[in-house]
Amino acid sequence: MSLAITREVSSTIGNCELTHLDREPIDLSRARDQHAAYCALLESLGLEVVRLPELVNCPDAVFVEDTALVLPELAVLTRPGAPSRRDEVPSIAAALSPHRELAHVREGSLDGGDILCLGRRLFVGLSERSNPRAIEELADLLQPRGYRVQGLKISGCLHLKTAVSVLDEETILIHPDWVDSRYFPHCRQIEIDPCEAFAGNALRIGSSVVHAEEFTRTRERLEAGGFTVASVPADELGKAEGGVTCCSLIL
Ligand code: CIR
């Protein structure tokens, strides 16, 4: 059975990093309820969910995606671009170590939310969090294992995966104002509804697509494209700039 590593929402999430959104109060109990619904949804889709305890001193620790890139052959622990997030990494390394060989980004900065995997092609967003040095380090680690690593520009959003997500082997969901669709000439592309700027983040689990429930117009586009959408409430963690991919590492 596949595994999803998740972590409880920190009681300090109100002090999260914010880049593109204004700070709004976050209702902790509502955020935790939504996170619990997310974990339950992953279980209903057949995953075994590991729930790590909260890290009180790391407000953003629920967003485990940013701390590692998990591939079939190995896991690469990142060096998050926000210094406040670097203490999240050791406990994720401990959680991953029974399952994967581990490698580390040591010099550059990299958030997992900036890495889009399309088969053995890895696209890395050059964001405010991830830089060319980290892309070089990733390439050194992964090219010998048959991966191609390519940086690409994004603008207007936090991470590459805020703007584009993989739906299946040949299809992506994309916000074309935030990432140039010409980077993906080989893909069928479904555009988000323009009224729903944050709808580009989606998590593929088997034949389902996990998606935030408030983005009903984009959901219609996904369904028209032939996808089965599993909606989950996510607006409270959305105030911390988190989406559905951010809250798990899938093995
Ligand atoms: C941060 O700014 O780091 C968090 N408040 C949000 C991280 C969301 N992670 C993701 O998109 N992968």
Side-chain angles (χ1 to χ4, degrees), residues 16-19 60 63 65-66 82 85 111-114 129 158-159 162 201 240-243 245-246:
C16 63
E17 295 285 340
L18 285 176
T19 308
D60 282 303
F63 303 122
E65 171 182 58
D66 293 318
R85 301 203 55 191
D111 280 10
D114 275 320
R129 300 289 177 83
L158 178 60
H159 288 131
T162 326
N201 185 255
E241 289 190 62
T245 61
C246 318

PDB file of all heavy atoms in Angstrom, residues 16-19 60 63 65-66 82 85 111-114 129 158-159 162 201 240-243 245-246, ligand 1:
ATOM      1  N   CYS A  16       2.690  31.791  10.269  1.00  0.00           N
ATOM      2  CA  CYS A  16       3.273  31.172   9.063  1.00  0.00           C
ATOM      3  C   CYS A  16       3.963  32.206   8.169  1.00  0.00           C
ATOM      4  O   CYS A  16       3.693  33.404   8.253  1.00  0.00           O
ATOM      5  CB  CYS A  16       2.165  30.492   8.272  1.00  0.00           C
ATOM      6  SG  CYS A  16       0.923  31.643   7.659  1.00  0.00           S
ATOM      7  N   GLU A  17       4.809  31.696   7.298  1.00  0.00           N
ATOM      8  CA  GLU A  17       5.383  32.543   6.242  1.00  0.00           C
ATOM      9  C   GLU A  17       4.273  32.938   5.266  1.00  0.00           C
ATOM     10  O   GLU A  17       3.399  32.125   4.942  1.00  0.00           O
ATOM     11  CB  GLU A  17       6.442  31.755   5.451  1.00  0.00           C
ATOM     12  CG  GLU A  17       7.662  31.344   6.231  1.00  0.00           C
ATOM     13  CD  GLU A  17       8.612  32.515   6.479  1.00  0.00           C
ATOM     14  OE1 GLU A  17       8.534  33.522   5.750  1.00  0.00           O
ATOM     15  OE2 GLU A  17       9.410  32.412   7.415  1.00  0.00           O
ATOM     16  N   LEU A  18       4.323  34.158   4.781  1.00  0.00           N
ATOM     17  CA  LEU A  18       3.382  34.595   3.742  1.00  0.00           C
ATOM     18  C   LEU A  18       4.149  35.398   2.708  1.00  0.00           C
ATOM     19  O   LEU A  18       4.992  36.235   3.074  1.00  0.00           O
ATOM     20  CB  LEU A  18       2.277  35.468   4.335  1.00  0.00           C
ATOM     21  CG  LEU A  18       1.182  34.750   5.129  1.00  0.00           C
ATOM     22  CD1 LEU A  18       0.222  35.758   5.740  1.00  0.00           C
ATOM     23  CD2 LEU A  18       0.403  33.762   4.254  1.00  0.00           C
ATOM     24  N   THR A  19       3.882  35.149   1.443  1.00  0.00           N
ATOM     25  CA  THR A  19       4.591  35.838   0.366  1.00  0.00           C
ATOM     26  C   THR A  19       3.640  36.647  -0.502  1.00  0.00           C
ATOM     27  O   THR A  19       3.909  37.796  -0.811  1.00  0.00           O
ATOM     28  CB  THR A  19       5.343  34.810  -0.504  1.00  0.00           C
ATOM     29  OG1 THR A  19       6.136  33.989   0.365  1.00  0.00           O
ATOM     30  CG2 THR A  19       6.254  35.501  -1.515  1.00  0.00           C
ATOM     31  N   ASP A  60       4.906  26.417   9.864  1.00  0.00           N
ATOM     32  CA  ASP A  60       4.511  25.905   8.542  1.00  0.00           C
ATOM     33  C   ASP A  60       4.730  24.401   8.382  1.00  0.00           C
ATOM     34  O   ASP A  60       4.646  23.888   7.255  1.00  0.00           O
ATOM     35  CB  ASP A  60       5.325  26.633   7.460  1.00  0.00           C
ATOM     36  CG  ASP A  60       4.790  28.030   7.186  1.00  0.00           C
ATOM     37  OD1 ASP A  60       3.600  28.155   6.847  1.00  0.00           O
ATOM     38  OD2 ASP A  60       5.560  29.001   7.326  1.00  0.00           O
ATOM     39  N   PHE A  63       3.064  21.689   6.071  1.00  0.00           N
ATOM     40  CA  PHE A  63       3.286  21.647   4.615  1.00  0.00           C
ATOM     41  C   PHE A  63       4.516  20.787   4.303  1.00  0.00           C
ATOM     42  O   PHE A  63       5.547  21.260   3.806  1.00  0.00           O
ATOM     43  CB  PHE A  63       3.421  23.069   4.067  1.00  0.00           C
ATOM     44  CG  PHE A  63       2.220  23.924   4.376  1.00  0.00           C
ATOM     45  CD1 PHE A  63       2.347  25.110   5.084  1.00  0.00           C
ATOM     46  CD2 PHE A  63       0.947  23.522   3.979  1.00  0.00           C
ATOM     47  CE1 PHE A  63       1.235  25.891   5.380  1.00  0.00           C
ATOM     48  CE2 PHE A  63      -0.175  24.298   4.272  1.00  0.00           C
ATOM     49  CZ  PHE A  63      -0.035  25.477   4.978  1.00  0.00           C
ATOM     50  N   GLU A  65       5.300  18.729   2.123  1.00  0.00           N
ATOM     51  CA  GLU A  65       5.809  18.591   0.751  1.00  0.00           C
ATOM     52  C   GLU A  65       7.105  19.367   0.524  1.00  0.00           C
ATOM     53  O   GLU A  65       7.958  18.957  -0.273  1.00  0.00           O
ATOM     54  CB  GLU A  65       4.753  19.113  -0.232  1.00  0.00           C
ATOM     55  CG  GLU A  65       5.261  19.224  -1.649  1.00  0.00           C
ATOM     56  CD  GLU A  65       4.244  19.772  -2.623  1.00  0.00           C
ATOM     57  OE1 GLU A  65       3.754  20.889  -2.421  1.00  0.00           O
ATOM     58  OE2 GLU A  65       3.950  19.075  -3.587  1.00  0.00           O
ATOM     59  N   ASP A  66       7.239  20.501   1.208  1.00  0.00           N
ATOM     60  CA  ASP A  66       8.372  21.374   0.903  1.00  0.00           C
ATOM     61  C   ASP A  66       9.711  20.849   1.412  1.00  0.00           C
ATOM     62  O   ASP A  66      10.759  21.366   1.043  1.00  0.00           O
ATOM     63  CB  ASP A  66       8.100  22.780   1.480  1.00  0.00           C
ATOM     64  CG  ASP A  66       6.949  23.429   0.754  1.00  0.00           C
ATOM     65  OD1 ASP A  66       6.906  23.306  -0.484  1.00  0.00           O
ATOM     66  OD2 ASP A  66       6.084  24.022   1.415  1.00  0.00           O
ATOM     67  N   ALA A  82      12.824  29.424   3.037  1.00  0.00           N
ATOM     68  CA  ALA A  82      12.550  30.268   4.207  1.00  0.00           C
ATOM     69  C   ALA A  82      13.335  29.693   5.383  1.00  0.00           C
ATOM     70  O   ALA A  82      13.075  28.556   5.789  1.00  0.00           O
ATOM     71  CB  ALA A  82      11.060  30.268   4.517  1.00  0.00           C
ATOM     72  N   ARG A  85      11.857  27.543   8.076  1.00  0.00           N
ATOM     73  CA  ARG A  85      11.324  26.215   7.785  1.00  0.00           C
ATOM     74  C   ARG A  85      12.399  25.127   7.812  1.00  0.00           C
ATOM     75  O   ARG A  85      12.086  23.955   7.648  1.00  0.00           O
ATOM     76  CB  ARG A  85      10.592  26.236   6.427  1.00  0.00           C
ATOM     77  CG  ARG A  85       9.440  27.247   6.410  1.00  0.00           C
ATOM     78  CD  ARG A  85       8.412  26.928   5.373  1.00  0.00           C
ATOM     79  NE  ARG A  85       7.915  25.561   5.546  1.00  0.00           N
ATOM     80  CZ  ARG A  85       7.167  24.917   4.668  1.00  0.00           C
ATOM     81  NH1 ARG A  85       6.811  25.529   3.556  1.00  0.00           N
ATOM     82  NH2 ARG A  85       6.772  23.682   4.877  1.00  0.00           N
ATOM     83  N   ASP A 111      12.394  24.383  -2.173  1.00  0.00           N
ATOM     84  CA  ASP A 111      11.143  23.934  -1.557  1.00  0.00           C
ATOM     85  C   ASP A 111      10.543  22.851  -2.452  1.00  0.00           C
ATOM     86  O   ASP A 111      10.475  23.017  -3.687  1.00  0.00           O
ATOM     87  CB  ASP A 111      10.127  25.083  -1.485  1.00  0.00           C
ATOM     88  CG  ASP A 111      10.365  26.048  -0.333  1.00  0.00           C
ATOM     89  OD1 ASP A 111      11.424  25.970   0.322  1.00  0.00           O
ATOM     90  OD2 ASP A 111       9.479  26.892  -0.101  1.00  0.00           O
ATOM     91  N   GLY A 112      10.068  21.788  -1.836  1.00  0.00           N
ATOM     92  CA  GLY A 112       9.472  20.706  -2.621  1.00  0.00           C
ATOM     93  C   GLY A 112       8.295  21.163  -3.475  1.00  0.00           C
ATOM     94  O   GLY A 112       8.030  20.591  -4.527  1.00  0.00           O
ATOM     95  N   GLY A 113       7.595  22.213  -3.033  1.00  0.00           N
ATOM     96  CA  GLY A 113       6.473  22.730  -3.809  1.00  0.00           C
ATOM     97  C   GLY A 113       6.883  23.275  -5.162  1.00  0.00           C
ATOM     98  O   GLY A 113       6.034  23.522  -6.022  1.00  0.00           O
ATOM     99  N   ASP A 114       8.188  23.450  -5.351  1.00  0.00           N
ATOM    100  CA  ASP A 114       8.681  23.941  -6.648  1.00  0.00           C
ATOM    101  C   ASP A 114       9.055  22.821  -7.608  1.00  0.00           C
ATOM    102  O   ASP A 114       9.560  23.099  -8.707  1.00  0.00           O
ATOM    103  CB  ASP A 114       9.908  24.839  -6.421  1.00  0.00           C
ATOM    104  CG  ASP A 114       9.498  26.266  -6.112  1.00  0.00           C
ATOM    105  OD1 ASP A 114       8.545  26.755  -6.744  1.00  0.00           O
ATOM    106  OD2 ASP A 114      10.124  26.884  -5.235  1.00  0.00           O
ATOM    107  N   ARG A 129      11.884  30.895  -3.337  1.00  0.00           N
ATOM    108  CA  ARG A 129      12.357  29.874  -2.396  1.00  0.00           C
ATOM    109  C   ARG A 129      13.430  28.946  -2.980  1.00  0.00           C
ATOM    110  O   ARG A 129      14.194  28.345  -2.232  1.00  0.00           O
ATOM    111  CB  ARG A 129      11.173  29.009  -1.937  1.00  0.00           C
ATOM    112  CG  ARG A 129      10.069  29.772  -1.239  1.00  0.00           C
ATOM    113  CD  ARG A 129      10.502  30.248   0.128  1.00  0.00           C
ATOM    114  NE  ARG A 129       9.468  31.047   0.776  1.00  0.00           N
ATOM    115  CZ  ARG A 129       8.430  30.549   1.445  1.00  0.00           C
ATOM    116  NH1 ARG A 129       8.298  29.242   1.564  1.00  0.00           N
ATOM    117  NH2 ARG A 129       7.550  31.345   1.993  1.00  0.00           N
ATOM    118  N   LEU A 158       3.638  31.499  -5.202  1.00  0.00           N
ATOM    119  CA  LEU A 158       4.696  31.056  -4.296  1.00  0.00           C
ATOM    120  C   LEU A 158       5.571  29.974  -4.918  1.00  0.00           C
ATOM    121  O   LEU A 158       6.790  30.068  -4.917  1.00  0.00           O
ATOM    122  CB  LEU A 158       4.047  30.531  -2.997  1.00  0.00           C
ATOM    123  CG  LEU A 158       4.988  29.985  -1.938  1.00  0.00           C
ATOM    124  CD1 LEU A 158       5.982  31.043  -1.482  1.00  0.00           C
ATOM    125  CD2 LEU A 158       4.192  29.438  -0.747  1.00  0.00           C
ATOM    126  N   HIS A 159       4.943  28.928  -5.413  1.00  0.00           N
ATOM    127  CA  HIS A 159       5.679  27.750  -5.884  1.00  0.00           C
ATOM    128  C   HIS A 159       5.228  27.351  -7.286  1.00  0.00           C
ATOM    129  O   HIS A 159       4.106  27.670  -7.708  1.00  0.00           O
ATOM    130  CB  HIS A 159       5.401  26.551  -4.956  1.00  0.00           C
ATOM    131  CG  HIS A 159       6.045  26.629  -3.613  1.00  0.00           C
ATOM    132  ND1 HIS A 159       5.353  26.401  -2.448  1.00  0.00           N
ATOM    133  CD2 HIS A 159       7.327  26.895  -3.251  1.00  0.00           C
ATOM    134  CE1 HIS A 159       6.179  26.519  -1.420  1.00  0.00           C
ATOM    135  NE2 HIS A 159       7.381  26.814  -1.877  1.00  0.00           N
ATOM    136  N   THR A 162       1.933  25.777  -7.273  1.00  0.00           N
ATOM    137  CA  THR A 162       0.757  26.639  -7.123  1.00  0.00           C
ATOM    138  C   THR A 162       0.181  26.902  -8.507  1.00  0.00           C
ATOM    139  O   THR A 162      -1.009  27.183  -8.658  1.00  0.00           O
ATOM    140  CB  THR A 162       1.141  28.000  -6.483  1.00  0.00           C
ATOM    141  OG1 THR A 162       2.195  27.832  -5.543  1.00  0.00           O
ATOM    142  CG2 THR A 162      -0.046  28.636  -5.806  1.00  0.00           C
ATOM    143  N   ASN A 201      -3.457  23.930  -8.068  1.00  0.00           N
ATOM    144  CA  ASN A 201      -2.787  22.918  -7.254  1.00  0.00           C
ATOM    145  C   ASN A 201      -3.720  21.715  -7.068  1.00  0.00           C
ATOM    146  O   ASN A 201      -4.827  21.849  -6.543  1.00  0.00           O
ATOM    147  CB  ASN A 201      -2.406  23.522  -5.891  1.00  0.00           C
ATOM    148  CG  ASN A 201      -1.608  22.554  -5.039  1.00  0.00           C
ATOM    149  OD1 ASN A 201      -2.138  21.986  -4.095  1.00  0.00           O
ATOM    150  ND2 ASN A 201      -0.354  22.346  -5.395  1.00  0.00           N
ATOM    151  N   ALA A 240      -2.709  30.266   4.699  1.00  0.00           N
ATOM    152  CA  ALA A 240      -1.260  30.164   4.931  1.00  0.00           C
ATOM    153  C   ALA A 240      -0.516  29.875   3.623  1.00  0.00           C
ATOM    154  O   ALA A 240       0.664  29.523   3.637  1.00  0.00           O
ATOM    155  CB  ALA A 240      -0.963  29.068   5.954  1.00  0.00           C
ATOM    156  N   GLU A 241      -1.215  30.027   2.497  1.00  0.00           N
ATOM    157  CA  GLU A 241      -0.662  29.769   1.160  1.00  0.00           C
ATOM    158  C   GLU A 241      -0.368  28.302   0.902  1.00  0.00           C
ATOM    159  O   GLU A 241       0.527  27.969   0.129  1.00  0.00           O
ATOM    160  CB  GLU A 241       0.582  30.638   0.876  1.00  0.00           C
ATOM    161  CG  GLU A 241       0.238  32.097   0.682  1.00  0.00           C
ATOM    162  CD  GLU A 241       1.407  32.928   0.156  1.00  0.00           C
ATOM    163  OE1 GLU A 241       1.890  32.654  -0.961  1.00  0.00           O
ATOM    164  OE2 GLU A 241       1.820  33.838   0.874  1.00  0.00           O
ATOM    165  N   GLY A 242      -1.103  27.438   1.602  1.00  0.00           N
ATOM    166  CA  GLY A 242      -0.924  25.997   1.382  1.00  0.00           C
ATOM    167  C   GLY A 242      -2.029  25.455   0.488  1.00  0.00           C
ATOM    168  O   GLY A 242      -3.155  25.950   0.509  1.00  0.00           O
ATOM    169  N   GLY A 243      -1.713  24.432  -0.282  1.00  0.00           N
ATOM    170  CA  GLY A 243      -2.699  23.768  -1.133  1.00  0.00           C
ATOM    171  C   GLY A 243      -2.709  22.279  -0.830  1.00  0.00           C
ATOM    172  O   GLY A 243      -2.113  21.817   0.155  1.00  0.00           O
ATOM    173  N   THR A 245      -1.400  19.652  -2.472  1.00  0.00           N
ATOM    174  CA  THR A 245      -0.180  18.840  -2.581  1.00  0.00           C
ATOM    175  C   THR A 245       0.727  19.069  -1.367  1.00  0.00           C
ATOM    176  O   THR A 245       1.474  18.169  -0.963  1.00  0.00           O
ATOM    177  CB  THR A 245       0.648  19.162  -3.852  1.00  0.00           C
ATOM    178  OG1 THR A 245       1.065  20.525  -3.823  1.00  0.00           O
ATOM    179  CG2 THR A 245      -0.137  18.878  -5.116  1.00  0.00           C
ATOM    180  N   CYS A 246       0.665  20.263  -0.788  1.00  0.00           N
ATOM    181  CA  CYS A 246       1.628  20.656   0.249  1.00  0.00           C
ATOM    182  C   CYS A 246       1.548  19.807   1.503  1.00  0.00           C
ATOM    183  O   CYS A 246       2.524  19.695   2.240  1.00  0.00           O
ATOM    184  CB  CYS A 246       1.386  22.099   0.693  1.00  0.00           C
ATOM    185  SG  CYS A 246       1.029  23.218  -0.620  1.00  0.00           S
TER     186      CYS A 246
HETATM  187  C1  CIR B   1       5.215  28.983   3.224  1.00  0.00           C
HETATM  188  O1  CIR B   1       5.181  30.147   2.858  1.00  0.00           O
HETATM  189  O2  CIR B   1       6.244  28.318   3.192  1.00  0.00           O
HETATM  190  C2  CIR B   1       3.935  28.373   3.761  1.00  0.00           C
HETATM  191  N1  CIR B   1       3.183  29.371   4.428  1.00  0.00           N
HETATM  192  C3  CIR B   1       3.127  27.752   2.649  1.00  0.00           C
HETATM  193  C4  CIR B   1       3.812  26.600   1.983  1.00  0.00           C
HETATM  194  C5  CIR B   1       2.956  25.923   0.988  1.00  0.00           C
HETATM  195  N2  CIR B   1       3.629  24.827   0.403  1.00  0.00           N
HETATM  196  C6  CIR B   1       3.513  24.452  -0.863  1.00  0.00           C
HETATM  197  O3  CIR B   1       2.871  25.139  -1.654  1.00  0.00           O
HETATM  198  N3  CIR B   1       4.174  23.384  -1.249  1.00  0.00           N
END
